[in-house]
Amino acid sequence: MLTFSQTDTDSLACVPIEHLRKATIELIEYDFCKIERDSLKATIIDLGTIIENKDSIIQYETELKNLAFENIDSLGIVVSTLNTEVEILKEENQEITKKRNIYRKITGALSTVIVILLRL
């Protein structure tokens, strides 16, 4: 059996230098592959978190948009109600103006009659 040990010097193994260089290069490449794999795993986790957050943001924005549309609908109802109230107030104002004009005419006529009666 072939063993590689620094303490067991009784049995030595001779390996060609080319094989040792190739094995060393492969071990170094393997180490780099493990580092890259760990980095890619971390990136995948980060991207998953970003996607989860993106979905939450999209849901939040959708809810916000829906609330804005509801608010617009509510404001439309308020505007419609206010327009109706304005029309009612305009009609009431016209009626009051007519009554005021009638009262002015009556007051003017009475004033004229009183002045005429006082001269007699």
Side-chain angles (χ1 to χ4, degrees):
M1 182 169 162
L2 199 57
T3 60
F4 296 97
S5 172
Q6 290 181 354
T7 57
D8 183 13
T9 57
D10 291 335
S11 57
L12 294 176
C14 292
V15 178
I17 196 78
E18 274 306 308
H19 293 299
L20 287 176
R21 283 184 183 153
K22 186 175 179 184
T24 304
I25 291 171
E26 287 178 359
L27 287 173
I28 291 171
E29 287 175 350
Y30 175 75
D31 289 341
F32 283 128
C33 286
K34 283 182 9 181
I35 292 169
E36 187 173 352
R37 180 201 63 202
D38 293 341
S39 174
L40 289 174
K41 279 184 180 179
T43 301
I44 289 170
I45 291 171
D46 290 344
L47 290 173
T49 303
I50 289 170
I51 289 171
E52 288 174 9
N53 290 340
K54 177 191 66 112
D55 291 342
S56 297
I57 290 170
I58 289 171
Q59 181 179 3
Y60 172 77
E61 292 295 328
T62 302
E63 290 173 5
L64 191 63
K65 180 184 73 172
N66 290 338
L67 287 174
F69 284 132
E70 288 176 15
N71 193 20
I72 289 169
D73 291 341
S74 297
L75 290 174
I77 292 170
V78 168
V79 167
S80 176
T81 303
L82 290 174
N83 285 338
T84 303
E85 288 181 16
V86 165
E87 292 301 318
I88 291 170
L89 289 173
K90 282 181 180 178
E91 290 173 4
E92 289 177 359
N93 190 29
Q94 287 175 350
E95 288 177 24
I96 291 171
T97 302
K98 286 179 185 177
K99 287 180 183 178
R100 187 185 70 212
N101 290 338
I102 291 172
Y103 290 138
R104 281 183 180 170
K105 289 177 184 177
I106 291 173
T107 305
L110 285 176
S111 297
T112 305
V113 170
I114 290 175
V115 169
I116 291 174
L117 287 176
L118 287 176
R119 287 192 180 175
L120 293 176

